[in-house]
Amino acid sequence: CMAAGDGAVLDFKIGVMSLLAMMGQNDTCQQTADGVEDAVYRTQEYIHHSFARPLTVAGLAARAGYSLYHFSRSFTQIVGVTPLRYIQRVRSGHAKYLLAAQNLTAEAAMRQSGFQNYAYFSRLFRQETGLAPGQYQRQGLAAGANIPKGAIGQ
């Protein structure tokens, strides 16, 4: 279980990875004997480029060339959250951007962020922000939200 401050650190890491992925660079990768760290960082970049597509942890593990167990365990140790939670955070961050800066409907933001089920999206969004997607949007628009597109994971 993460401490309250750990969420902000993870959000920062996700934001940095997003920026690195957009720049096409990731100098933070350091090879390990079995290359798993590099595979995890490449997977993070892939998630940032592909979050709107259907993603599964099993598919990510296969893409990285590791067993599901080894990949999930290594990803969690290196990143600090499970691969599924990381995908959720990236998708939620993009949905926040779309709701606040693009003035899309909650359902359109959900679909463009890679979520398939509105009830699931709404529940997850509320857990992360304390607000329903529509409430978040109204608050963001009322406050004149100016969220840069690269700020996924805020």
Side-chain angles (χ1 to χ4, degrees), residues 73-135:
R73 191 169 147 260
S74 298
F75 189 101
T76 302
Q77 287 176 339
I78 293 167
V79 178
V81 294
T82 65
L84 179 60
R85 186 68 186 123
Y86 190 84
I87 294 167
Q88 291 170 335
R89 285 263 176 107
V90 171
R91 286 177 171 167
S92 292
H94 188 70
K96 288 179 200 177
Y97 162 74
L98 292 174
L99 288 169
Q102 297 294 312
N103 197 23
L104 294 179
T105 65
E107 186 163 340
M110 171 204 75
R111 294 210 184 282
Q112 289 185 28
S113 299
F115 292 100
Q116 304 299 315
N117 178 291
Y118 187 80
Y120 173 73
F121 164 69
S122 183
R123 185 176 67 246
L124 181 71
F125 196 91
R126 186 182 296 267
Q127 286 173 350
E128 280 206 13
T129 65
L131 300 169
Q135 292 172 312

Side-chain angles (χ1 to χ4, degrees), residues 20-63:
L20 290 171
M22 285 188 296
M23 293 170 36
Q25 300 174 8
N26 189 351
D27 295 334
T28 62
C29 293
Q30 295 178 357
Q31 288 287 348
T32 60
D34 63 354
V36 71
E37 234 179 86
D38 186 50
V40 167
Y41 290 124
R42 282 186 282 116
T43 299
Q44 286 179 288
E45 288 179 6
Y46 179 75
I47 291 168
H48 283 276
H49 287 290
S50 306
F51 62 85
R53 299 180 194 155
L55 297 173
T56 65
V57 177
L60 294 173
R63 189 175 193 286

Side-chain angles (χ1 to χ4, degrees), residues 57-70:
V57 177
L60 294 173
R63 189 175 193 286
Y66 291 94
S67 72
L68 176 61
Y69 173 78
H70 183 64

Side-chain angles (χ1 to χ4, degrees), residues 127-146:
Q127 286 173 350
E128 280 206 13
T129 65
L131 300 169
Q135 292 172 312
Y136 181 88
Q137 184 178 43
R138 285 188 294 279
Q139 264 195 357
L141 294 175
N146 186 14

